[in-house]
Amino acid sequence: MKDKLPFFTVIVPIHNKAPHVSRSIGSVLGQSYGNFELLVIDDASTDGSLKEVEKFNDHRIRLLQREVPGVGGYAARNLGLQYAKADWIAF
């Protein structure tokens, strides 16, 4: 599965969500259909969210980082769209 493009991309923007990000990532990884990529966009978190993401070791996860947070998460989602490999996108 590493060699072919994912069927869909899941985009998860995070900004200071350390208590919740592991559960979100675990939910995506726990799906029965596995041909996807998960883009986690750290939107300049300062609370340890990044460390929570880095605990996962799965080839389907890609971490992108922004240095300045965007109001409402739109900038993080747009960054994810730029890097998505799949034609289908889920937020």
Side-chain angles (χ1 to χ4, degrees), residues 11-32:
I11 297 175
V12 177
I14 56 170
H15 177 73
N16 293 339
K17 299 293 183 190
H20 310 288
V21 69
S22 291
R23 190 174 74 188
S24 296
I25 292 172
S27 176
V28 175
L29 295 178
Q31 300 301 308
S32 59

Side-chain angles (χ1 to χ4, degrees), residues 9-69:
T9 299
V10 178
I11 297 175
V12 177
I14 56 170
H15 177 73
N16 293 339
K17 299 293 183 190
H20 310 288
V21 69
S22 291
R23 190 174 74 188
S24 296
I25 292 172
S27 176
V28 175
L29 295 178
Q31 300 301 308
S32 59
Y33 186 79
N35 186 15
F36 62 85
E37 69 172 338
L38 172 57
L39 296 183
V40 179
I41 297 88
D42 177 45
D43 206 14
S45 295
T46 59
D47 72 338
S49 294
L50 184 58
K51 290 184 189 253
E52 292 299 315
V53 175
E54 290 173 341
K55 290 179 181 178
F56 289 88
N57 182 19
D58 190 296
H59 72 275
R60 297 171 293 182
I61 299 173
R62 286 193 294 151
L63 175 63
L64 305 173
Q65 292 180 269
R66 292 179 28 83
E67 293 183 18
V68 178

Side-chain angles (χ1 to χ4, degrees), residues 9 11 39 41 64 75-85 89:
T9 299
I11 297 175
L39 296 183
I41 297 88
L64 305 173
R77 285 189 292 275
N78 287 342
L79 181 64
L81 287 172
Q82 290 176 10
Y83 284 87
K85 292 180 180 177
I89 307 295

